[in-house]
Amino acid sequence: MELQGKRIALGVTGGVAAYKAAELVRLLLKQGATVQVAMTDAATHFVTPVTFQALSGQPVFTDQWDARIGNNMAHIDLSREADALLVAPASADFLAKVAHGLADDLLSTLVLARDCPLLVAPAMNRQMWENPATRRNVATLRADGVAVLGPGCGDQACGETGLGRMLEPEEIVAELIAHFQPKPLKGRRLLLTAGPTFEAIDPVRGITNLSTGKMGYAIARAAHEAGAEVTLVSGPVALPCPYGVTRIDVTSALQMRDAVLAQTAGSDVFVAVAAVADYRPAAPAEQKIKKDGGTPPAIELTLNPDILAEVAALPHPPLCVGFAAESQKLDEYAEKKRRAKKIPLIVGNLIQNGFGGDDNTLVLFDDDGRHPLPPASKIDLARRLVAHIATLLEKN
Ligand code: PMT
């Protein structure tokens, strides 16, 4: 329930993507928000107000002259009561109106009269999005402080492919949640590793571990919410990349190291969350190893590079943050790793039920001592960790 108590005014304009706004209402309610829908006349040609009324449990406004509002000022009342005004889908025509301050219907008047933040999720044909007039209008909106969410790239209702798809409802909700988070990492670049590595024995087998990537992906999301530009170097996991994060996929520790070292210049922070295999087969077989019934083959292992220690030893390293997953003696082992890798902060991770859960128990260790965090979901812990990292960056 990450939008608990938030009042969202949702504007729906005319476009095929209006049908996705119905799902958006459902997801917003699921996160604890109350949703008040206002539609343009064009939007009502795609989805009826009844759909939104049934989903939101609130009357839907389509007309500036709605007799249900005593003072006849729906545009003032709706915006005064909202914590944010979200327009999804936002058509090219509607963006043009807002960019020029036009107010000729309820929704555009509501936008002009608002005293809350405005977020828009554009949806249009790719040529309309690329049209210089739309580019100018979007630039004006951004300069005016409007948050432009997307658009995404892909198949379009018109049969073409390109930029202009409305973001998926889940992505819009994630961006709205991000909107309400503090921004202590604004202007910073954060690089992180997540997930396991996979070290090949032969073309079909390898050594890996049970890291799911959940902790690292939560930190990537929390850092994006906090305003950072985030690059995530990820081992093989089954998670979608958090919206707004750049992901580089790797498989082995050597690939992870190369990808990290290529990204460290210009990074303010490096967070090593990945469970990197300490060893890899020294000479992976080129062909599948066959079982011949004789002595099982011995696999000779060789040491993998320590990515975190290498980054920390660079002449001008980013602020380096390590993780230490331990099943016992958390303080002792975590501090030992912090000193060995010469890093300012390590996150002690008490592993009670193996990797992969949605909740975690973390203790932060830095020069000021130990800072236990209350057991919580990985995203809550990630936000606390990001806030701690921001404080250390400020001190530096
Ligand atoms: O992905 P999940 O299922 O959510 O699980 C998350 C996690 C348990 C994997 C994660 O929270 C975690 O604790 N990761 C670190 C695991 C660990 O203890 O790694 P380590 O002791 O091998 O390494 C210590 C630190 O050095 C880590 O920051 C690691 O990323 C880094 N390291 C280690 C070896 C290596 N060759 N290169 C590294 O950069």
Side-chain angles (χ1 to χ4, degrees):
M1 300 281 259
E2 302 200 59
L3 292 171
Q4 188 66 47
K6 295 284 187 241
R7 293 157 306 177
I8 308 301
L10 175 65
V12 182
T13 73
V16 183
Y19 82 93
K20 289 192 182 176
E23 174 67 359
L24 181 57
V25 171
R26 211 183 58 77
L27 295 179
L28 291 170
L29 294 179
K30 212 169 149 192
Q31 291 294 341
T34 50
V35 182
Q36 176 67 71
V37 178
M39 303 173 75
T40 62
D41 181 51
T44 63
H45 290 271
F46 290 91
V47 184
T48 72
V50 178
T51 303
F52 289 107
Q53 182 166 346
L55 287 168
S56 68
Q58 308 278 347
V60 171
F61 293 91
T62 55
D63 184 0
Q64 199 161 359
W65 315 111
D66 195 319
R68 286 172 298 178
I69 305 253
N71 61 6
N72 228 333
M73 294 206 183
H75 58 293
I76 305 287
D77 291 354
L78 292 178
S79 87
R80 293 295 178 273
E81 286 160 9
D83 293 300
L85 171 53
L86 167 66
V87 181
S91 64
D93 173 65
F94 191 75
L95 296 180
K97 268 190 197 173
V98 178
H100 291 88
L102 298 183
D104 63 356
D105 63 3
L106 173 65
L107 189 55
S108 54
T109 314
L110 178 56
V111 167
L112 202 60
R114 78 187 186 281
D115 65 353
C116 64
L118 171 65
L119 302 91
V120 295
M124 65 197 73
N125 162 271
R126 70 176 175 85
Q127 265 160 342
M128 292 171 82
W129 175 252
E130 280 158 17
N131 187 291
T134 306
R135 310 306 310 141
R136 279 196 302 277
N137 292 334
V138 170
T140 302
L141 292 176
R142 288 203 171 105
D144 288 348
V146 176
V148 180
L149 314 182
C153 192
D155 293 343
Q156 302 201 308
C158 54
E160 296 181 9
T161 303
L163 262 183
R165 276 173 66 92
M166 187 173 86
L167 292 187
E168 293 305 321
E170 292 80 4
E171 294 173 324
I172 295 175
V173 172
E175 283 301 280
L176 192 61
I177 292 169
H179 168 79
F180 289 112
Q181 294 297 322
K183 306 282 174 226
L185 292 184
K186 196 165 172 47
R188 305 287 198 170
R189 284 188 60 199
L190 184 139
L191 173 67
L192 82 162
T193 62
T197 63
F198 179 92
E199 313 298 331
I201 294 172
D202 70 11
V204 294
R205 305 181 183 94
I207 301 170
T208 187
N209 60 67
L210 294 177
S211 167
T212 57
K214 283 184 184 174
M215 190 67 238
Y217 276 54
I219 294 168
R221 181 182 151 194
H224 167 68
E225 287 177 350
E229 193 185 313
V230 182
T231 304
L232 167 63
V233 179
S234 175
V237 298
L239 297 175
C241 183
Y243 177 74
V245 168
T246 304
R247 183 170 73 182
I248 301 171
D249 289 318
V250 296
T251 304
S252 66
L254 290 180
Q255 289 172 355
M256 186 173 273
R257 169 181 175 259
D258 289 349
V260 165
L261 291 180
Q263 297 292 327
T264 38
S267 293
D268 301 289
V269 184
F270 173 55
V271 190
V273 196
V276 185
D278 288 322
Y279 301 98
R280 67 179 186 278
E286 277 179 21
Q287 304 299 331
K288 184 180 171 193
I289 299 170
K290 302 299 287 178
K291 184 170 73 176
D292 63 7
T295 321
I299 299 169
E300 193 194 331
L301 298 178
T302 186
L303 195 62
N304 266 330
D306 189 320
I307 304 167
L308 176 57
E310 260 188 57
V311 174
L314 289 172
H316 302 288
L319 184 112
C320 285
V321 181
F323 264 74
E326 308 294 346
S327 58
Q328 58 166 339
K329 298 186 185 171
L330 183 67
D331 290 32
E332 183 186 329
Y333 293 157
E335 262 301 340
K336 203 168 154 189
K337 276 186 193 170
R338 188 170 87 91
R339 280 194 299 274
K341 295 181 193 250
K342 299 191 175 67
I343 53 174
L345 173 63
I346 197 156
V347 183
N349 189 358
L350 196 59
I351 299 291
Q352 286 152 328
N353 303 309
F355 295 169
D358 289 325
D359 297 337
N360 215 349
T361 306
L362 301 180
V363 184
L364 315 186
F365 299 89
D366 61 17
D367 290 345
D368 293 333
R370 74 193 296 278
H371 313 272
L373 303 181
S377 67
K378 285 184 175 173
I379 185 65
D380 279 350
L381 291 166
R383 287 183 184 136
R384 285 170 181 267
L385 171 61
V386 160
H388 195 86
I389 289 171
T391 314
L392 292 185
L393 270 177
E394 280 301 309
K395 276 192 200 164
N396 278 1

PDB file of all heavy atoms in Angstrom, residues 40-68:
ATOM      1  N   THR A  40     -12.131  13.693 -20.785  1.00  0.00           N
ATOM      2  CA  THR A  40     -12.500  14.613 -21.870  1.00  0.00           C
ATOM      3  C   THR A  40     -13.641  13.969 -22.653  1.00  0.00           C
ATOM      4  O   THR A  40     -13.881  12.757 -22.538  1.00  0.00           O
ATOM      5  CB  THR A  40     -11.312  14.862 -22.828  1.00  0.00           C
ATOM      6  OG1 THR A  40     -10.957  13.622 -23.434  1.00  0.00           O
ATOM      7  CG2 THR A  40     -10.134  15.475 -22.109  1.00  0.00           C
ATOM      8  N   ASP A  41     -14.291  14.801 -23.460  1.00  0.00           N
ATOM      9  CA  ASP A  41     -15.388  14.264 -24.278  1.00  0.00           C
ATOM     10  C   ASP A  41     -14.858  13.151 -25.193  1.00  0.00           C
ATOM     11  O   ASP A  41     -15.481  12.105 -25.340  1.00  0.00           O
ATOM     12  CB  ASP A  41     -15.991  15.417 -25.104  1.00  0.00           C
ATOM     13  CG  ASP A  41     -17.147  14.923 -25.938  1.00  0.00           C
ATOM     14  OD1 ASP A  41     -18.038  14.274 -25.365  1.00  0.00           O
ATOM     15  OD2 ASP A  41     -17.133  15.135 -27.165  1.00  0.00           O
ATOM     16  N   ALA A  42     -13.659  13.357 -25.775  1.00  0.00           N
ATOM     17  CA  ALA A  42     -13.085  12.355 -26.684  1.00  0.00           C
ATOM     18  C   ALA A  42     -12.865  11.029 -25.960  1.00  0.00           C
ATOM     19  O   ALA A  42     -13.084   9.957 -26.527  1.00  0.00           O
ATOM     20  CB  ALA A  42     -11.775  12.872 -27.268  1.00  0.00           C
ATOM     21  N   ALA A  43     -12.447  11.097 -24.688  1.00  0.00           N
ATOM     22  CA  ALA A  43     -12.179   9.856 -23.935  1.00  0.00           C
ATOM     23  C   ALA A  43     -13.443   9.018 -23.790  1.00  0.00           C
ATOM     24  O   ALA A  43     -13.384   7.785 -23.826  1.00  0.00           O
ATOM     25  CB  ALA A  43     -11.607  10.198 -22.565  1.00  0.00           C
ATOM     26  N   THR A  44     -14.591   9.701 -23.668  1.00  0.00           N
ATOM     27  CA  THR A  44     -15.842   8.952 -23.455  1.00  0.00           C
ATOM     28  C   THR A  44     -16.240   8.155 -24.702  1.00  0.00           C
ATOM     29  O   THR A  44     -17.107   7.292 -24.645  1.00  0.00           O
ATOM     30  CB  THR A  44     -17.014   9.884 -23.068  1.00  0.00           C
ATOM     31  OG1 THR A  44     -17.263  10.785 -24.156  1.00  0.00           O
ATOM     32  CG2 THR A  44     -16.712  10.664 -21.809  1.00  0.00           C
ATOM     33  N   HIS A  45     -15.601   8.461 -25.866  1.00  0.00           N
ATOM     34  CA  HIS A  45     -15.872   7.672 -27.070  1.00  0.00           C
ATOM     35  C   HIS A  45     -15.133   6.340 -27.035  1.00  0.00           C
ATOM     36  O   HIS A  45     -15.430   5.434 -27.803  1.00  0.00           O
ATOM     37  CB  HIS A  45     -15.465   8.454 -28.320  1.00  0.00           C
ATOM     38  CG  HIS A  45     -16.374   9.621 -28.583  1.00  0.00           C
ATOM     39  ND1 HIS A  45     -17.518   9.542 -29.331  1.00  0.00           N
ATOM     40  CD2 HIS A  45     -16.314  10.905 -28.137  1.00  0.00           C
ATOM     41  CE1 HIS A  45     -18.116  10.715 -29.366  1.00  0.00           C
ATOM     42  NE2 HIS A  45     -17.411  11.565 -28.637  1.00  0.00           N
ATOM     43  N   PHE A  46     -14.118   6.239 -26.164  1.00  0.00           N
ATOM     44  CA  PHE A  46     -13.328   4.999 -26.072  1.00  0.00           C
ATOM     45  C   PHE A  46     -13.795   4.125 -24.899  1.00  0.00           C
ATOM     46  O   PHE A  46     -13.880   2.919 -25.015  1.00  0.00           O
ATOM     47  CB  PHE A  46     -11.844   5.329 -25.910  1.00  0.00           C
ATOM     48  CG  PHE A  46     -11.241   5.914 -27.156  1.00  0.00           C
ATOM     49  CD1 PHE A  46     -11.228   7.286 -27.359  1.00  0.00           C
ATOM     50  CD2 PHE A  46     -10.720   5.092 -28.139  1.00  0.00           C
ATOM     51  CE1 PHE A  46     -10.681   7.835 -28.511  1.00  0.00           C
ATOM     52  CE2 PHE A  46     -10.178   5.623 -29.300  1.00  0.00           C
ATOM     53  CZ  PHE A  46     -10.163   7.003 -29.485  1.00  0.00           C
ATOM     54  N   VAL A  47     -14.048   4.756 -23.742  1.00  0.00           N
ATOM     55  CA  VAL A  47     -14.494   4.021 -22.551  1.00  0.00           C
ATOM     56  C   VAL A  47     -15.584   4.872 -21.906  1.00  0.00           C
ATOM     57  O   VAL A  47     -15.458   6.097 -21.853  1.00  0.00           O
ATOM     58  CB  VAL A  47     -13.329   3.830 -21.533  1.00  0.00           C
ATOM     59  CG1 VAL A  47     -13.773   2.996 -20.350  1.00  0.00           C
ATOM     60  CG2 VAL A  47     -12.126   3.181 -22.199  1.00  0.00           C
ATOM     61  N   THR A  48     -16.616   4.242 -21.388  1.00  0.00           N
ATOM     62  CA  THR A  48     -17.689   5.072 -20.803  1.00  0.00           C
ATOM     63  C   THR A  48     -17.347   5.465 -19.367  1.00  0.00           C
ATOM     64  O   THR A  48     -16.623   4.733 -18.671  1.00  0.00           O
ATOM     65  CB  THR A  48     -19.049   4.335 -20.796  1.00  0.00           C
ATOM     66  OG1 THR A  48     -18.976   3.317 -19.801  1.00  0.00           O
ATOM     67  CG2 THR A  48     -19.382   3.749 -22.140  1.00  0.00           C
ATOM     68  N   PRO A  49     -17.897   6.593 -18.923  1.00  0.00           N
ATOM     69  CA  PRO A  49     -17.662   7.023 -17.535  1.00  0.00           C
ATOM     70  C   PRO A  49     -18.119   5.964 -16.525  1.00  0.00           C
ATOM     71  O   PRO A  49     -17.573   5.867 -15.435  1.00  0.00           O
ATOM     72  CB  PRO A  49     -18.509   8.300 -17.409  1.00  0.00           C
ATOM     73  CG  PRO A  49     -18.670   8.804 -18.815  1.00  0.00           C
ATOM     74  CD  PRO A  49     -18.665   7.593 -19.700  1.00  0.00           C
ATOM     75  N   VAL A  50     -19.110   5.176 -16.899  1.00  0.00           N
ATOM     76  CA  VAL A  50     -19.647   4.152 -15.978  1.00  0.00           C
ATOM     77  C   VAL A  50     -18.527   3.185 -15.558  1.00  0.00           C
ATOM     78  O   VAL A  50     -18.456   2.773 -14.395  1.00  0.00           O
ATOM     79  CB  VAL A  50     -20.799   3.373 -16.666  1.00  0.00           C
ATOM     80  CG1 VAL A  50     -21.329   2.288 -15.739  1.00  0.00           C
ATOM     81  CG2 VAL A  50     -21.905   4.325 -17.066  1.00  0.00           C
ATOM     82  N   THR A  51     -17.659   2.837 -16.491  1.00  0.00           N
ATOM     83  CA  THR A  51     -16.553   1.916 -16.173  1.00  0.00           C
ATOM     84  C   THR A  51     -15.694   2.510 -15.060  1.00  0.00           C
ATOM     85  O   THR A  51     -15.361   1.843 -14.072  1.00  0.00           O
ATOM     86  CB  THR A  51     -15.680   1.689 -17.435  1.00  0.00           C
ATOM     87  OG1 THR A  51     -16.515   1.206 -18.465  1.00  0.00           O
ATOM     88  CG2 THR A  51     -14.563   0.705 -17.163  1.00  0.00           C
ATOM     89  N   PHE A  52     -15.321   3.782 -15.216  1.00  0.00           N
ATOM     90  CA  PHE A  52     -14.451   4.415 -14.224  1.00  0.00           C
ATOM     91  C   PHE A  52     -15.184   4.631 -12.899  1.00  0.00           C
ATOM     92  O   PHE A  52     -14.585   4.540 -11.827  1.00  0.00           O
ATOM     93  CB  PHE A  52     -13.903   5.740 -14.774  1.00  0.00           C
ATOM     94  CG  PHE A  52     -12.894   5.532 -15.863  1.00  0.00           C
ATOM     95  CD1 PHE A  52     -13.197   5.805 -17.184  1.00  0.00           C
ATOM     96  CD2 PHE A  52     -11.640   5.015 -15.568  1.00  0.00           C
ATOM     97  CE1 PHE A  52     -12.273   5.594 -18.192  1.00  0.00           C
ATOM     98  CE2 PHE A  52     -10.701   4.799 -16.573  1.00  0.00           C
ATOM     99  CZ  PHE A  52     -11.012   5.078 -17.880  1.00  0.00           C
ATOM    100  N   GLN A  53     -16.480   4.928 -13.001  1.00  0.00           N
ATOM    101  CA  GLN A  53     -17.262   5.122 -11.766  1.00  0.00           C
ATOM    102  C   GLN A  53     -17.310   3.810 -10.974  1.00  0.00           C
ATOM    103  O   GLN A  53     -17.107   3.791  -9.759  1.00  0.00           O
ATOM    104  CB  GLN A  53     -18.668   5.587 -12.115  1.00  0.00           C
ATOM    105  CG  GLN A  53     -19.512   5.843 -10.874  1.00  0.00           C
ATOM    106  CD  GLN A  53     -20.778   6.635 -11.196  1.00  0.00           C
ATOM    107  OE1 GLN A  53     -20.898   7.199 -12.275  1.00  0.00           O
ATOM    108  NE2 GLN A  53     -21.701   6.656 -10.261  1.00  0.00           N
ATOM    109  N   ALA A  54     -17.551   2.709 -11.703  1.00  0.00           N
ATOM    110  CA  ALA A  54     -17.651   1.405 -11.025  1.00  0.00           C
ATOM    111  C   ALA A  54     -16.306   1.043 -10.397  1.00  0.00           C
ATOM    112  O   ALA A  54     -16.248   0.536  -9.272  1.00  0.00           O
ATOM    113  CB  ALA A  54     -18.078   0.346 -12.026  1.00  0.00           C
ATOM    114  N   LEU A  55     -15.214   1.312 -11.108  1.00  0.00           N
ATOM    115  CA  LEU A  55     -13.896   0.912 -10.595  1.00  0.00           C
ATOM    116  C   LEU A  55     -13.423   1.809  -9.454  1.00  0.00           C
ATOM    117  O   LEU A  55     -12.839   1.341  -8.480  1.00  0.00           O
ATOM    118  CB  LEU A  55     -12.855   0.941 -11.732  1.00  0.00           C
ATOM    119  CG  LEU A  55     -12.966  -0.179 -12.760  1.00  0.00           C
ATOM    120  CD1 LEU A  55     -12.082   0.121 -13.961  1.00  0.00           C
ATOM    121  CD2 LEU A  55     -12.568  -1.510 -12.136  1.00  0.00           C
ATOM    122  N   SER A  56     -13.659   3.125  -9.604  1.00  0.00           N
ATOM    123  CA  SER A  56     -13.117   4.066  -8.605  1.00  0.00           C
ATOM    124  C   SER A  56     -14.045   4.222  -7.410  1.00  0.00           C
ATOM    125  O   SER A  56     -13.622   4.676  -6.344  1.00  0.00           O
ATOM    126  CB  SER A  56     -12.876   5.440  -9.245  1.00  0.00           C
ATOM    127  OG  SER A  56     -14.120   6.038  -9.586  1.00  0.00           O
ATOM    128  N   GLY A  57     -15.341   3.887  -7.600  1.00  0.00           N
ATOM    129  CA  GLY A  57     -16.302   4.083  -6.518  1.00  0.00           C
ATOM    130  C   GLY A  57     -16.621   5.551  -6.304  1.00  0.00           C
ATOM    131  O   GLY A  57     -17.140   5.948  -5.264  1.00  0.00           O
ATOM    132  N   GLN A  58     -16.294   6.397  -7.294  1.00  0.00           N
ATOM    133  CA  GLN A  58     -16.528   7.848  -7.193  1.00  0.00           C
ATOM    134  C   GLN A  58     -17.261   8.308  -8.450  1.00  0.00           C
ATOM    135  O   GLN A  58     -17.067   7.730  -9.519  1.00  0.00           O
ATOM    136  CB  GLN A  58     -15.191   8.623  -7.159  1.00  0.00           C
ATOM    137  CG  GLN A  58     -14.187   8.160  -6.138  1.00  0.00           C
ATOM    138  CD  GLN A  58     -14.474   8.733  -4.760  1.00  0.00           C
ATOM    139  OE1 GLN A  58     -15.279   9.654  -4.621  1.00  0.00           O
ATOM    140  NE2 GLN A  58     -13.837   8.179  -3.754  1.00  0.00           N
ATOM    141  N   PRO A  59     -18.047   9.383  -8.316  1.00  0.00           N
ATOM    142  CA  PRO A  59     -18.657   9.933  -9.534  1.00  0.00           C
ATOM    143  C   PRO A  59     -17.561  10.396 -10.497  1.00  0.00           C
ATOM    144  O   PRO A  59     -16.493  10.825 -10.056  1.00  0.00           O
ATOM    145  CB  PRO A  59     -19.489  11.123  -9.034  1.00  0.00           C
ATOM    146  CG  PRO A  59     -19.045  11.385  -7.649  1.00  0.00           C
ATOM    147  CD  PRO A  59     -18.397  10.142  -7.117  1.00  0.00           C
ATOM    148  N   VAL A  60     -17.821  10.278 -11.787  1.00  0.00           N
ATOM    149  CA  VAL A  60     -16.830  10.676 -12.799  1.00  0.00           C
ATOM    150  C   VAL A  60     -17.275  12.005 -13.415  1.00  0.00           C
ATOM    151  O   VAL A  60     -18.447  12.190 -13.702  1.00  0.00           O
ATOM    152  CB  VAL A  60     -16.730   9.576 -13.885  1.00  0.00           C
ATOM    153  CG1 VAL A  60     -15.888  10.038 -15.057  1.00  0.00           C
ATOM    154  CG2 VAL A  60     -16.137   8.309 -13.267  1.00  0.00           C
ATOM    155  N   PHE A  61     -16.317  12.916 -13.597  1.00  0.00           N
ATOM    156  CA  PHE A  61     -16.649  14.228 -14.152  1.00  0.00           C
ATOM    157  C   PHE A  61     -16.202  14.321 -15.606  1.00  0.00           C
ATOM    158  O   PHE A  61     -15.080  13.941 -15.951  1.00  0.00           O
ATOM    159  CB  PHE A  61     -15.989  15.339 -13.324  1.00  0.00           C
ATOM    160  CG  PHE A  61     -16.569  15.408 -11.933  1.00  0.00           C
ATOM    161  CD1 PHE A  61     -15.993  14.684 -10.892  1.00  0.00           C
ATOM    162  CD2 PHE A  61     -17.706  16.151 -11.680  1.00  0.00           C
ATOM    163  CE1 PHE A  61     -16.538  14.715  -9.620  1.00  0.00           C
ATOM    164  CE2 PHE A  61     -18.257  16.177 -10.403  1.00  0.00           C
ATOM    165  CZ  PHE A  61     -17.678  15.465  -9.370  1.00  0.00           C
ATOM    166  N   THR A  62     -17.131  14.812 -16.446  1.00  0.00           N
ATOM    167  CA  THR A  62     -16.814  14.946 -17.873  1.00  0.00           C
ATOM    168  C   THR A  62     -17.123  16.350 -18.375  1.00  0.00           C
ATOM    169  O   THR A  62     -16.744  16.717 -19.470  1.00  0.00           O
ATOM    170  CB  THR A  62     -17.656  13.960 -18.716  1.00  0.00           C
ATOM    171  OG1 THR A  62     -19.027  14.180 -18.414  1.00  0.00           O
ATOM    172  CG2 THR A  62     -17.286  12.521 -18.414  1.00  0.00           C
ATOM    173  N   ASP A  63     -17.840  17.100 -17.557  1.00  0.00           N
ATOM    174  CA  ASP A  63     -18.402  18.355 -18.049  1.00  0.00           C
ATOM    175  C   ASP A  63     -18.102  19.492 -17.077  1.00  0.00           C
ATOM    176  O   ASP A  63     -18.289  19.349 -15.864  1.00  0.00           O
ATOM    177  CB  ASP A  63     -19.930  18.150 -18.175  1.00  0.00           C
ATOM    178  CG  ASP A  63     -20.620  19.340 -18.772  1.00  0.00           C
ATOM    179  OD1 ASP A  63     -19.931  20.327 -19.097  1.00  0.00           O
ATOM    180  OD2 ASP A  63     -21.861  19.275 -18.913  1.00  0.00           O
ATOM    181  N   GLN A  64     -17.679  20.602 -17.627  1.00  0.00           N
ATOM    182  CA  GLN A  64     -17.373  21.759 -16.781  1.00  0.00           C
ATOM    183  C   GLN A  64     -18.628  22.331 -16.133  1.00  0.00           C
ATOM    184  O   GLN A  64     -18.560  23.005 -15.116  1.00  0.00           O
ATOM    185  CB  GLN A  64     -16.729  22.835 -17.650  1.00  0.00           C
ATOM    186  CG  GLN A  64     -15.981  23.863 -16.853  1.00  0.00           C
ATOM    187  CD  GLN A  64     -15.005  24.606 -17.715  1.00  0.00           C
ATOM    188  OE1 GLN A  64     -14.885  24.342 -18.894  1.00  0.00           O
ATOM    189  NE2 GLN A  64     -14.298  25.536 -17.121  1.00  0.00           N
ATOM    190  N   TRP A  65     -19.760  22.059 -16.748  1.00  0.00           N
ATOM    191  CA  TRP A  65     -21.014  22.653 -16.259  1.00  0.00           C
ATOM    192  C   TRP A  65     -21.842  21.601 -15.521  1.00  0.00           C
ATOM    193  O   TRP A  65     -23.046  21.536 -15.646  1.00  0.00           O
ATOM    194  CB  TRP A  65     -21.813  23.246 -17.437  1.00  0.00           C
ATOM    195  CG  TRP A  65     -20.936  24.034 -18.342  1.00  0.00           C
ATOM    196  CD1 TRP A  65     -20.572  23.737 -19.609  1.00  0.00           C
ATOM    197  CD2 TRP A  65     -20.262  25.255 -18.022  1.00  0.00           C
ATOM    198  NE1 TRP A  65     -19.715  24.673 -20.120  1.00  0.00           N
ATOM    199  CE2 TRP A  65     -19.510  25.631 -19.156  1.00  0.00           C
ATOM    200  CE3 TRP A  65     -20.212  26.082 -16.900  1.00  0.00           C
ATOM    201  CZ2 TRP A  65     -18.716  26.768 -19.193  1.00  0.00           C
ATOM    202  CZ3 TRP A  65     -19.421  27.220 -16.944  1.00  0.00           C
ATOM    203  CH2 TRP A  65     -18.697  27.549 -18.075  1.00  0.00           C
ATOM    204  N   ASP A  66     -21.153  20.765 -14.749  1.00  0.00           N
ATOM    205  CA  ASP A  66     -21.808  19.655 -14.051  1.00  0.00           C
ATOM    206  C   ASP A  66     -22.673  20.182 -12.906  1.00  0.00           C
ATOM    207  O   ASP A  66     -22.164  20.806 -11.964  1.00  0.00           O
ATOM    208  CB  ASP A  66     -20.719  18.714 -13.502  1.00  0.00           C
ATOM    209  CG  ASP A  66     -21.286  17.374 -13.092  1.00  0.00           C
ATOM    210  OD1 ASP A  66     -22.381  17.359 -12.500  1.00  0.00           O
ATOM    211  OD2 ASP A  66     -20.633  16.360 -13.363  1.00  0.00           O
ATOM    212  N   ALA A  67     -23.976  19.912 -12.984  1.00  0.00           N
ATOM    213  CA  ALA A  67     -24.909  20.456 -11.996  1.00  0.00           C
ATOM    214  C   ALA A  67     -24.743  19.827 -10.618  1.00  0.00           C
ATOM    215  O   ALA A  67     -25.259  20.333  -9.622  1.00  0.00           O
ATOM    216  CB  ALA A  67     -26.339  20.246 -12.493  1.00  0.00           C
ATOM    217  N   ARG A  68     -23.936  18.690 -10.545  1.00  0.00           N
ATOM    218  CA  ARG A  68     -23.770  18.038  -9.241  1.00  0.00           C
ATOM    219  C   ARG A  68     -22.900  18.872  -8.308  1.00  0.00           C
ATOM    220  O   ARG A  68     -22.892  18.694  -7.104  1.00  0.00           O
ATOM    221  CB  ARG A  68     -23.115  16.667  -9.416  1.00  0.00           C
ATOM    222  CG  ARG A  68     -24.030  15.619  -9.992  1.00  0.00           C
ATOM    223  CD  ARG A  68     -23.283  14.360 -10.326  1.00  0.00           C
ATOM    224  NE  ARG A  68     -22.258  14.579 -11.331  1.00  0.00           N
ATOM    225  CZ  ARG A  68     -21.426  13.641 -11.785  1.00  0.00           C
ATOM    226  NH1 ARG A  68     -21.515  12.430 -11.309  1.00  0.00           N
ATOM    227  NH2 ARG A  68     -20.524  13.919 -12.700  1.00  0.00           N
TER     228      ARG A  68
END
